Amino acid sequence: MPEGFSPNSRVWIYQSSRLFLISEALLIEEMLQNFVAQWNAHGHPVKGYANMFFGQFIVLMADETSIAVSGCSTDSSVRLIKEIEQKFGVSMFDRQNLAFAIEGKVQLLPMAQIPWGIEKGFIKEDTLYFNNLAATKEQLENNWLVPAGKSWLGSRYFNGKLTT
């Protein structure tokens, strides 16, 4: 995570429908750095950060302590993500696919199949879940990768009690 950013910096997490190839990831990293270098809000530079994590997640961050990110500057970030979708043939806006860290890899499971995944032992209370709803730097650092039983999945599927 970047140093010198407020814990309240706004965060947007985009999950790809597949792992990017190394060659794709290198191109995307360049696109992200170019975007951050030109990111503006009301004509003023945004203190921004963008990076790829686990070869499958793009994280954008804006420290709004000096300038607030406006609708237009947010729209420009969405255009970037849509450009990545088109260029690399992926989906970055599908919130129905949930991501888990299983055996050292990111595994996606459609939300409708969560009960099946639990029944078959694919997902357990201690299986790490990517909570892509983290909205601040602090939440990203502390609550992005959490045991499924301690996320919203816990109260819905595990009775809210993590037992490892």
Side-chain angles (χ1 to χ4, degrees):
M1 292 300 121
E3 296 292 323
F5 276 65
S6 164
N8 295 320
S9 295
R10 283 181 60 187
V11 166
W12 297 267
I13 302 169
Y14 298 94
Q15 172 184 297
S16 173
S17 55
R18 66 169 173 82
L19 183 68
F20 289 106
L21 301 172
I22 291 173
S23 58
E24 293 172 326
L26 292 172
L27 290 171
I28 291 168
E29 286 288 339
E30 185 177 328
M31 292 171 74
L32 295 174
Q33 297 318 310
N34 289 339
F35 172 77
V36 169
Q38 299 172 20
W39 201 2
N40 285 296
H42 303 293
H44 298 292
V46 171
K47 182 178 180 181
Y49 168 84
N51 209 340
M52 183 180 294
F53 290 89
F54 303 101
Q56 199 157 349
F57 299 90
I58 293 175
V59 173
L60 299 177
M61 184 181 303
D63 187 334
E64 297 183 300
T65 52
S66 59
I67 182 97
V69 175
S70 64
C72 290
S73 52
T74 301
D75 289 349
S76 66
S77 68
V78 170
R79 280 193 299 277
L80 169 71
I81 300 302
K82 286 184 178 186
E83 180 183 345
I84 290 169
E85 275 189 321
Q86 291 175 352
K87 185 169 186 162
F88 300 100
V90 296
S91 172
M92 302 291 297
F93 292 94
D94 184 357
R95 300 285 187 199
Q96 295 301 306
N97 274 332
L98 304 183
F100 299 89
I102 299 173
E103 296 180 10
K105 294 181 183 176
V106 175
Q107 300 288 330
L108 301 181
L109 189 65
M111 193 178 304
Q113 293 183 5
I114 296 297
W116 174 87
I118 292 169
E119 178 186 320
K120 299 296 182 192
F122 181 69
I123 300 168
K124 301 177 179 118
E125 290 179 85
D126 62 349
T127 301
L128 293 178
Y129 165 67
F130 288 90
N131 174 23
N132 293 330
L133 299 177
T136 65
K137 180 183 182 208
E138 182 176 37
Q139 289 174 1
L140 180 69
E141 291 174 334
N142 299 314
N143 300 315
W144 182 32
L145 196 53
V146 295
K150 290 194 175 188
S151 73
W152 67 270
L153 294 164
S155 60
R156 186 161 180 188
Y157 296 106
F158 299 110
N159 300 321
K161 299 175 188 162
L162 179 65
T163 56
T164 52

